[in-house]
Amino acid sequence: MRKRIVFTLSVLLTLTIALSGCSGRKAGDSSRIVVGIPQDLEDSLDPHKAAAAGTREVLFNVFEGLLKPDVNGDLIPAVAKEYTVSDDGLTYSFILRDGIKFHDGNPVTAQDVKYSIEKSAGMTGDASLIAAFSNIDKVNAVSDSQVDIVLKERDVDFPAYLASVSAAIIPMANATPDTTPIGTGPYKYVSRSPQENVIMERFDDYWGEKANIKDVEFKIEVGDAMIMDLKGGSVDMSARLSVTQVKQLGDEFDILEGSMNLVQALYLNNKVKPFDDVRVRQALCYATDTQEILDLAFDGHGAPIGSSVFPAFGKYFIPELADKYPRDVNKAKELLKEAGYADGFDMTITVPSNYIPHVDTAQVLVEQLKEAGIRATINQVEWNTWLSDVYAGRSYESTVIGVDASSMTAEALLGRFYSKADNNFANYSNAEYDRLYEESRITFDDARRTELYKDMEMILADDAANVYIQDMAEFVALNKKFEGYEFYPLYVLDIAKLKVKE
Amino acid sequence: MKYIGRKALIMLVTVLIVTMLVFLAFRVIPGDPVLNMLGTSATPEKVEQLREQMGLNRPLPVRYIEWLRDFFFGDMGKSYTYGIPVRSMLADKVPITITLTLLAFVFVVAISIPLGIFTAKHEDKWYSKAIDVLNQITMSIPSFFVGMLLTYLFGLILKWFKPGGFVNYKVSPVGFILYLIYPAIAIALPKAAMTVKLLKSSVLKEGKLDYVRTAYSRGNSTDEVLYKHVFKNALIPVITFLGMTLADMVAGSIIVEQVFSIPGLGRLLITSISTRDYPVAQSIIAIIACLVIMINFLVDVLYKMVDPRIR
């Protein structure tokens, strides 16, 4: 018996040694890329239900709306080849692209589009991720190649919402969109293994410019193991790395710097004492030194901002606002005195502990505020707790977080400070701001709208609604075997443009 | 038989208590699966709708009993996060964690038994003392740190394996085992060190007993005495310890899985807790608890077989 075991073991060992040369990726098989992502697609593979930015950026490769954003954030036709708007601005007529197919080989029909838009808009049951879609009155499949979307009220931003993954066109015949995603994008979904990976393959019948790399594996890797994987060669690319992480990487990588496209700020609960006093909020702004935060916590990278719009928004962004509150500790103290807090006050900064950059920022803030006599303490909480207590429950004093834009519209960023907005977690309320916002919703002249948005930005800055800090720098590490990564002004990870270096 | 029956009953009660605790624990910790799913796009209506859909509005005892019933029949529910049956999710992961644990256990036994006897036999030699010191050091380093050292040394410097280059057993069983060797060593080393120490002192203690002197006086050689008499008796405490070690390693492998980025039960457990994916977390904890309890049960039975004095 014992001899038998020894024999089996030795056979196994020999086999192991003999076969070990065969495992691993073969050299030259470079039409495959492993992209490290810091979290699994945990919400849903159904594009109409995927809420997390981390999920949408991956699904961007699989799904397309009637329109889609290009690298500049401009809208380009996708499933629709063109569209027209009626004179009253209420009816959008989309002409479908000829011969466009889903990943399962079936053609995209007007019925599929009608189904998708209705599903995405929450007209068939599930709640919609796009609040502005409540404005859709009806969707009509006019002919085999034309779909009309009729709105209740005019909305100039409407096409921008259609370009979101949340408004993707999916086949009506697919009964399980949650687990078997089928879209029209440059990559098709192959399989997934929870907490391990998501596998995609190039869609060879794609209507547009086809992807270069055939196989893509999105590998889920947590924390510093990502750096280990990059160094060891089991991950070829990873986005959203921090300065510290990037510094640990060697020469085999191209490091690309972009921006995260979010508004990082010390968000204040404007309803809670003492933050209900504009002088206190301004004092906080004067006590803060943005450049020092960037230098200490971000190694000097990042773009300072002074209101709730980040630089990628081009015409809406007002760069001067970043200098509105230069560091002035004496002024801060004066303002506090006026507000009746001559001896300063105690405050709590609630930070989600899994976001190290926000935690670091909070730590620098605490030191800066101390000089103005404000005694801040950090309360690190789990992400889930943050969502329930701070974001949904609004029971907090202040928090450091980054807020992104779900679509390329200024409304996506500024709408949340409308006093009646569901997602107004800062509890901000300003009658003038509300008036401007309401006006912007019914203004269709682009110049006037831009003006309104800028005025709203100014109010947020004047009012010191929050202590605005920066749009954080983002680093992408790409193995030198590949090239072609492009940054979008949205939260997107476009794999189709990557290619193997010649 | 009565003994086994009693132990089995205790085993069942333990499983019940553990699952109940797990169920309650999720009520006590803050956080909400619905909010987690909706993230920053949560609105009160959406939250309410989803809560209704997932059946989270029903009373806790009802949900517990239903879950327990389904679990008993092998239905672990559907993951909130992935929308697929938990059973099919775990079916892929359980073999990974079990293989890792068993491999580590093989290493523990393979290292500690020969080394334990060797050091006991050559107690006074300098190399035996050196092994003792080395042992002491190994024992005091936690396995996740050993894992990091191994990754650095064998992964990044010597490049014997690719950090994070885990190969699924479905793709290549050989590559799978080869990758697991390093994490298994990381788990095994501290435990093996403890076992060596225990076995050594156990052998030495037995060696001082009367029956050993009798055996010698009958003209047996040192080796004969050692292997025929002392070893067998010295092994009894070691078996108990190995049993506990195996149970401990099931849980310990979860941490080492993180270090080596092995997609076993560990990562799934950690993420399912932080995303409040109750069905997954509950099932994993219940499975691990059952494994640990079962191992303890087997050790009890084995123990009785080795030493019939135990009742």
Side-chain angles (χ1 to χ4, degrees), chain A residues 225-329:
Chain A
M226 184 81 84
I227 299 302
M228 207 71 113
D229 284 9
L230 283 163
K231 277 179 159 175
S234 57
V235 168
D236 299 312
M237 179 189 137
S238 179
R240 320 214 184 279
L241 296 173
S242 70
V243 189
T244 357
Q245 287 179 313
V246 157
K247 278 188 175 162
Q248 299 172 42
L249 292 172
D251 295 336
E252 329 73 288
F253 290 91
D254 281 324
I255 306 295
L256 314 166
E257 182 176 348
S259 62
M260 293 242 186
N261 297 319
L262 41 78
V263 177
Q264 191 208 25
L266 173 68
Y267 287 91
L268 305 170
N269 190 339
N270 282 250
K271 280 230 171 79
V272 165
K273 263 189 184 328
F275 307 115
D276 54 349
D277 188 327
V278 62
R279 290 167 296 191
V280 172
R281 299 197 300 264
Q282 283 172 338
L284 285 171
C285 290
Y286 279 119
T288 310
D289 183 345
T290 308
Q291 196 53 48
E292 193 181 58
I293 294 175
L294 297 189
D295 289 344
L296 292 177
F298 298 90
D299 213 36
H301 298 273
I305 50 174
S307 189
S308 267
V309 170
F310 49 79
F313 270 88
K315 65 178 176 186
Y316 302 121
F317 179 67
I318 313 174
E320 301 82 62
L321 290 181
D323 304 321
K324 184 159 176 72
Y325 298 100
R327 182 138 216 248
D328 191 337
V329 177

Side-chain angles (χ1 to χ4, degrees), chain B residues 131 133-142 146 188-191 193:
Chain B
I131 290 174
V133 174
L134 209 67
N135 228 349
Q136 208 70 39
I137 296 170
T138 321
M139 218 181 294
S140 51
I141 305 176
V146 177
L189 275 183
K191 301 287 179 203

Side-chain angles (χ1 to χ4, degrees), chain B residues 32-70:
Chain B
D32 185 321
V34 174
L35 283 174
N36 199 75
M37 284 162 90
L38 292 171
T40 47
S41 67
T43 61
E45 304 89 74
K46 281 191 216 165
V47 170
E48 196 43 46
Q49 194 188 8
L50 202 59
R51 205 183 287 277
E52 185 73 35
Q53 249 175 46
M54 301 193 332
L56 286 171
N57 285 337
R58 293 175 310 132
L60 193 61
V62 177
R63 275 157 49 201
Y64 173 65
I65 301 220
E66 279 180 6
W67 176 77
L68 198 66
R69 185 195 62 205
D70 292 345

Side-chain angles (χ1 to χ4, degrees), chain A residues 128-143:
Chain A
S128 177
L129 287 177
I130 305 173
F133 273 8
S134 59
N135 187 25
I136 296 180
D137 184 26
K138 50 183 184 274
V139 185
N140 299 325
V142 179
S143 70

Side-chain angles (χ1 to χ4, degrees), chain A residues 16 20 40 42-43 51 125-128 179 192-196 219-221 229 232 234 382 384 388 391, chain B residues 31-32 35-36 38 40 43 46 49 53 81-82 84 89 93 162-164 178 261 263 267-268 271 274-276:
Chain A
T16 312
S20 61
D40 199 356
E42 284 166 351
D43 28 10
D126 292 332
S128 177
T179 47
R192 83 182 306 185
S193 172
Q195 294 304 326
E196 185 179 353
K219 185 169 188 283
I220 296 116
E221 197 53 279
D229 284 9
S234 57
E382 229 187 327
N384 201 290
S388 58
Y391 195 77
Chain B
D32 185 321
L35 283 174
N36 199 75
L38 292 171
T40 47
T43 61
K46 281 191 216 165
Q49 194 188 8
Q53 249 175 46
T81 307
Y82 297 97
I84 51 176
M89 252 165 95
K93 312 288 180 191
K162 203 191 243 184
L178 280 181
S261 32
R267 194 190 281 178
L268 207 55
T271 47
S274 65
T275 56
R276 307 288 186 267

Side-chain angles (χ1 to χ4, degrees), chain A residues 48-346:
Chain A
H48 302 152
K49 288 190 195 160
T55 305
R56 290 201 311 257
E57 69 172 348
V58 172
L59 292 185
F60 178 81
N61 295 289
V62 178
F63 295 106
E64 291 171 326
L66 287 165
L67 309 169
K68 69 190 288 185
D70 69 1
V71 286
N72 301 316
D74 294 329
L75 300 180
I76 52 169
V79 174
K81 67 176 174 196
E82 59 191 28
Y83 72 95
T84 50
V85 192
S86 65
D87 291 339
D88 60 3
L90 289 179
T91 306
Y92 286 75
S93 302
F94 292 89
I95 307 295
L96 302 191
R97 198 175 285 281
D98 307 315
I100 183 169
K101 279 181 185 163
F102 283 118
H103 296 151
D104 60 2
N106 291 322
V108 179
T109 66
Q111 288 301 330
D112 290 321
V113 174
K114 177 176 154 70
Y115 159 81
S116 302
I117 300 295
E118 282 177 352
K119 179 171 176 302
S120 159
M123 293 156 86
T124 51
D126 292 332
S128 177
L129 287 177
I130 305 173
F133 273 8
S134 59
N135 187 25
I136 296 180
D137 184 26
K138 50 183 184 274
V139 185
N140 299 325
V142 179
S143 70
D144 286 349
S145 60
Q146 188 187 342
V147 175
D148 285 3
I149 302 177
V150 184
L151 305 184
K152 293 174 191 154
E153 285 165 30
R154 277 182 74 163
D155 182 357
V156 192
D157 288 332
F158 186 68
Y161 299 120
L162 289 174
S164 156
V165 165
S166 309
I169 303 303
I170 59 173
M172 190 162 55
N174 183 7
T176 53
D178 274 316
T179 47
T180 44
I182 299 172
T184 58
Y187 279 101
K188 60 181 174 189
Y189 168 89
V190 177
S191 67
R192 83 182 306 185
S193 172
Q195 294 304 326
E196 185 179 353
N197 59 21
V198 176
I199 313 271
M200 289 183 195
E201 193 186 59
R202 179 173 60 210
F203 179 42
D204 288 322
D205 282 337
Y206 185 56
W207 59 266
E209 199 177 317
K210 293 178 184 47
N212 299 301
I213 296 171
K214 185 166 177 292
D215 295 301
V216 181
E217 174 183 352
F218 289 95
K219 185 169 188 283
I220 296 116
E221 197 53 279
V222 190
D224 282 336
M226 184 81 84
I227 299 302
M228 207 71 113
D229 284 9
L230 283 163
K231 277 179 159 175
S234 57
V235 168
D236 299 312
M237 179 189 137
S238 179
R240 320 214 184 279
L241 296 173
S242 70
V243 189
T244 357
Q245 287 179 313
V246 157
K247 278 188 175 162
Q248 299 172 42
L249 292 172
D251 295 336
E252 329 73 288
F253 290 91
D254 281 324
I255 306 295
L256 314 166
E257 182 176 348
S259 62
M260 293 242 186
N261 297 319
L262 41 78
V263 177
Q264 191 208 25
L266 173 68
Y267 287 91
L268 305 170
N269 190 339
N270 282 250
K271 280 230 171 79
V272 165
K273 263 189 184 328
F275 307 115
D276 54 349
D277 188 327
V278 62
R279 290 167 296 191
V280 172
R281 299 197 300 264
Q282 283 172 338
L284 285 171
C285 290
Y286 279 119
T288 310
D289 183 345
T290 308
Q291 196 53 48
E292 193 181 58
I293 294 175
L294 297 189
D295 289 344
L296 292 177
F298 298 90
D299 213 36
H301 298 273
I305 50 174
S307 189
S308 267
V309 170
F310 49 79
F313 270 88
K315 65 178 176 186
Y316 302 121
F317 179 67
I318 313 174
E320 301 82 62
L321 290 181
D323 304 321
K324 184 159 176 72
Y325 298 100
R327 182 138 216 248
D328 191 337
V329 177
N330 290 329
K331 203 158 185 178
K333 282 184 176 162
E334 244 169 66
L335 282 163
L336 284 178
K337 207 170 171 183
E338 268 178 50
Y341 296 96
D343 301 327
F345 57 87
D346 296 297

